[in-house]
Amino acid sequence: MILEVCAGDIDSVKAAAEGGAARVELCSGLAEGGVTPSIGLIRQALKVPGIKVHVLIRPRGGDFLYTTEEVDCMVDDIREAVKAGVHGVVIGALDPDGNVDREACRRMVEAAGKDVNITFHRAFDLCRAPLEALEDVIALGCNRILTSGCAASALEGVDMLRSLVEKADGRLTILAGGGVSPDNARKIAESAGVKELHASARHTIGSPMRYRHEGVSMGTPGTDEYARKVTSPALVSAIVASDQ
């Protein structure tokens, strides 16, 4: 079983490698589903030994219907990520009717070139017709689809995940993600017939700050600025061990 970990900072990349994950999906803004990380974070992540780095390409939170300018932004981000030496990019876009935006995605695939891996992200879970979308993603030349089986979690979506695996028939990899934990990883993998899992494996850690100015939030009101969620090497190890 190959485990991919969603990593939002350099500590999480190191934790994923320590725990035995095969790669990370590197992103920022996990609270809003992830956006493209900075080039500095990308370069630092690539210095961590023993793990592959796939970079999320998403200019903002919200839906996956993008303007021409936003697609231009993603194309530029892909070129810079590839130039930095990433092993893969994670892309996705939909049209107003819930179909794969083939033109936008074609531009992104072309920008990535032939030397990096391409994953179509969980925009797939919001598409109108998953089995049709699967064929569109395959035609684009993507290597895998990250999906919960179009359900709230991968455990709830195992039937669709299995259908996607069977329909793909080896033409690309179905990467099951969404609520994957040490307790359900093996069940999801066996029930869905997948060979790759995606998890955040995060826990909350406190800040080492001694001086604290409580009551001021930098983002959502009421947010604790002295706690953050980081990948746990122990949780990563436990997910990896669940397949043994």
Side-chain angles (χ1 to χ4, degrees):
M1 179 61 61
I2 292 173
L3 177 64
E4 174 183 280
V5 170
C6 184
D9 53 42
I10 194 62
D11 288 340
S12 293
V13 178
K14 292 177 180 178
E18 180 184 340
R23 64 176 178 265
V24 292
E25 179 196 38
L26 189 68
C27 54
S28 295
L30 288 176
E32 56 181 336
V35 294
T36 305
S38 71
I39 193 66
L41 178 55
I42 292 170
R43 288 171 178 154
Q44 290 303 311
L46 287 166
K47 294 179 182 179
V48 177
I51 196 159
K52 292 185 177 180
V53 177
H54 289 196
V55 171
L56 176 64
I57 304 298
R58 187 182 181 211
R60 55 163 174 79
D63 63 29
F64 299 100
L65 176 62
Y66 297 115
T67 64
T68 299
E69 292 81 4
E70 287 174 325
V71 176
D72 289 343
C73 176
M74 291 189 282
V75 166
D76 283 347
D77 283 339
I78 290 169
R79 288 174 177 154
E80 290 304 309
V82 171
K83 191 186 300 182
V86 300
H87 305 98
V89 293
V90 184
I91 68 165
L94 301 178
D95 70 16
D97 297 313
N99 304 304
V100 172
D101 186 335
R102 288 175 290 186
E103 177 56 24
C105 292
R106 180 194 62 76
R107 289 188 59 200
M108 288 186 268
V109 169
E110 288 181 354
K114 300 183 181 301
D115 296 328
V116 299
N117 221 262
I118 303 174
T119 299
F120 193 98
H121 57 51
R122 288 192 64 196
F124 185 88
D125 289 324
L126 301 183
C127 70
R128 177 186 58 80
L131 297 182
E132 290 180 22
L134 171 68
E135 296 300 329
D136 288 336
V137 175
I138 290 171
L140 284 166
C142 295
N143 302 99
R144 69 177 50 76
I145 297 173
L146 168 59
T147 173
S148 63
C150 304
S153 69
L155 189 60
E156 296 171 75
V158 289
D159 290 341
M160 175 57 75
L161 286 167
R162 178 168 286 280
S163 294
L164 292 168
V165 170
E166 292 173 352
K167 186 86 185 303
D169 193 26
R171 291 177 292 168
L172 55 60
T173 298
I174 300 300
L175 169 61
V180 174
S181 71
D183 295 331
N184 63 26
R186 186 183 185 95
K187 182 176 181 179
I188 291 169
E190 291 181 347
S191 299
V194 297
K195 296 181 179 179
E196 296 193 5
L197 292 175
H198 171 100
S200 62
R202 293 187 296 166
H203 66 160
T204 301
I205 63 171
S207 168
M209 286 288 296
R210 288 189 295 273
Y211 171 76
R212 299 191 176 203
H213 186 167
E214 305 288 356
V216 177
S217 298
M218 298 294 108
T220 304
T223 299
D224 183 357
E225 298 298 334
Y226 298 100
R228 62 191 179 100
K229 291 186 177 296
V230 180
T231 298
S232 161
L235 284 174
V236 173
S237 294
I239 295 174
V240 172
S242 70
D243 185 52
Q244 306 303 312

